[in-house]
Amino acid sequence: YDFSHSFGKDNQLSNAKLIDNSIYAMHRLPLIGELELDNGYRHQIQNATANDNPAYSRPTAKKSTSANAWDIGLNYKLPQGQKLYVKYNQSFRFANIDEFWSFDPNPPYRVFNGALLRPQNDKTYQVGGDLLIGATKITASLYHTTTSNQIRYDSFNDTNINDPHNIKRKGIYLSTISPINDKLTVYINSNLQNVSYADGPNQGQSTPLAPHLSTAGRINYKADDHWSVGTIVNHVSSQYYAGAQDLYNNRNGSYPITSITNFYKKIPSYTVTDVYANYKNGHWDAQVTLKNLTNSNYATYGGMGFVTQPSTSNWAYYYYPSDPRSVLVTLSYNF
């Protein structure tokens, strides 16, 4: 992967590259009747290289890191493809390329700290199943995840960090597929969660950018073997801006905040509707989507930091607006 960042001409001269190699194995062991033990393991090694603008005479930054993922669980098979399961697993996330760079108040105004970022680690307990009620297929699960070394942006220090404190996620996931008839199908996916710090100075506080509810509904009408049309409605509840906790924990005269509760503000909830028409013929698949049908004004990301404006500069909230109404056309060939 190559990444160029937008600092004038530097975006033509700075780049980064990632090379990932991994090995994995999966195993299923029948136990008693329809009960089986499922387990798997994966080891991944990432080599990263970053080059700055040669004019700044900075050396090439390199790093090599590795992480493990594994999964172990019991799976009980039921008739008609149904099942119940309980499992415990570990997963990881390496830093994205855009997270390798951070801001420096001194020229050349950026630093490479990718070598300092450790892989994010998630351990999850989960119980769930796939069930049929009439013609409706239901996939549901309860989960509890503990995240360590979460990779995020530190607004106070203008750098990407591994959060030193653990984060816990508890939630319910529900997905349904309901065929109304041979042409009309309704799909629903929902996630209800509570995300908070498990320890540290913000223990018990909700983490930013973690909405309690996200749900999506889709209605698909298959006109014939080639044409289908549909609509997708996505709803995301309000969520806290990123960065407020960093500034509160490092507060001084610039922002004499006395209450973290009063300091918290939320990105408003939003509902966005898309409509689409899809055409399939052999290996070809074409789709036209009218996104954000109602031209809603909304944001999926926002934070608090030192914001520079034409007339003043100060600590303030900011957000990145999402796209207005637009048309997306895709064409693919499936081998």
Side-chain angles (χ1 to χ4, degrees):
Y1 304 92
D2 287 327
F3 170 76
S4 298
H5 48 294
S6 53
F7 290 94
K9 67 178 181 180
D10 296 326
N11 63 349
Q12 303 296 323
L13 301 172
S14 304
N15 63 81
K17 180 178 290 185
L18 302 179
I19 298 178
D20 290 277
N21 295 285
S22 62
I23 184 172
Y24 69 92
M26 300 177 64
H27 179 249
R28 289 185 175 180
L29 176 65
L31 296 177
I32 302 173
E34 299 301 321
L35 183 66
E36 66 179 16
L37 175 69
D38 292 348
N39 55 92
Y41 174 82
R42 175 167 158 239
H43 179 70
Q44 183 165 328
I45 300 173
Q46 182 180 90
N47 294 299
T49 305
N51 300 287
D52 203 355
N53 186 334
Y56 302 125
S57 301
R58 291 189 172 183
T60 297
K62 295 182 178 181
K63 75 163 186 175
S64 179
T65 187
S66 64
N68 300 314
W70 46 260
D71 187 302
I72 184 169
L74 292 172
N75 184 39
Y76 186 78
K77 296 180 182 178
L78 297 171
Q80 296 179 288
Q82 302 177 91
K83 68 177 180 180
L84 298 173
Y85 68 85
V86 57
K87 67 179 180 179
Y88 179 47
N89 71 286
Q90 174 177 288
S91 59
F92 63 84
R93 180 176 85 83
F94 289 125
N96 297 321
I97 275 190
D98 63 318
E99 293 170 315
F100 280 29
W101 274 270
S102 298
F103 178 75
D104 188 333
N106 302 308
Y109 305 114
R110 65 193 176 283
V111 293
F112 172 82
N113 72 325
L116 304 178
L117 294 174
R118 300 182 299 278
Q120 178 177 311
N121 183 281
D122 297 295
K123 289 185 171 66
T124 301
Y125 298 93
Q126 188 174 8
V127 58
D130 295 334
L131 301 171
L132 285 174
I133 298 180
T136 298
K137 180 180 179 180
I138 299 175
T139 298
S141 66
L142 300 173
Y143 61 88
H144 184 288
T145 299
T146 300
T147 300
S148 58
N149 293 325
Q150 175 166 290
I151 300 171
R152 67 173 181 84
Y153 185 70
D154 180 346
S155 296
F156 181 77
N157 294 299
D158 293 317
T159 186
N160 294 298
I161 65 168
N162 289 109
D163 198 305
H165 306 295
N166 292 334
I167 293 169
K168 60 181 179 181
R169 293 173 169 81
K170 297 183 291 184
I172 303 172
Y173 172 78
L174 176 65
S175 173
T176 63
I177 302 175
S178 303
I180 307 303
N181 52 45
D182 59 348
K183 293 183 177 294
L184 187 65
T185 305
V186 178
Y187 304 81
I188 297 176
N189 291 283
S190 298
N191 184 48
L192 180 65
Q193 65 176 355
N194 182 280
V195 187
S196 62
Y197 278 99
D199 50 43
N202 300 315
Q203 183 175 2
Q205 293 283 351
S206 296
T207 61
L209 303 178
H212 286 304
L213 174 66
S214 56
T215 184
R218 178 165 69 98
I219 299 176
N220 185 79
Y221 179 78
K222 186 177 180 181
D224 54 35
D225 290 338
H226 299 291
W227 284 99
S228 63
V229 295
T231 183
I232 303 171
V233 179
N234 288 283
H235 173 78
V236 177
S237 65
S238 60
Q239 54 192 308
Y240 288 107
Y241 284 90
Q245 290 163 326
D246 295 322
L247 300 179
Y248 174 77
N249 293 334
N250 295 279
R251 60 194 182 279
N252 56 31
S254 301
Y255 36 90
I257 305 300
T258 58
S259 171
I260 184 64
T261 303
N262 295 333
F263 200 30
Y264 264 163
K265 292 185 182 296
K266 285 187 173 183
I267 303 171
S269 63
Y270 61 87
T271 302
V272 180
T273 301
D274 302 337
V275 293
Y276 65 87
N278 182 265
Y279 178 77
K280 292 184 178 181
N281 190 352
H283 295 284
W284 289 98
D285 192 334
Q287 182 165 301
V288 177
T289 304
L290 179 59
K291 301 182 70 65
N292 193 2
L293 176 66
T294 59
N295 202 31
S296 299
N297 295 318
Y298 71 101
T300 61
Y301 181 88
M304 188 176 191
F306 195 80
V307 178
T308 301
Q309 304 177 48
S311 58
T312 184
S313 297
N314 207 339
W315 299 100
Y317 286 97
Y318 63 90
Y319 66 90
Y320 295 127
S322 293
D323 292 335
R325 184 188 297 120
S326 58
V327 176
L328 174 66
V329 180
T330 61
L331 178 66
S332 62
Y333 183 87
N334 301 306
F335 294 94

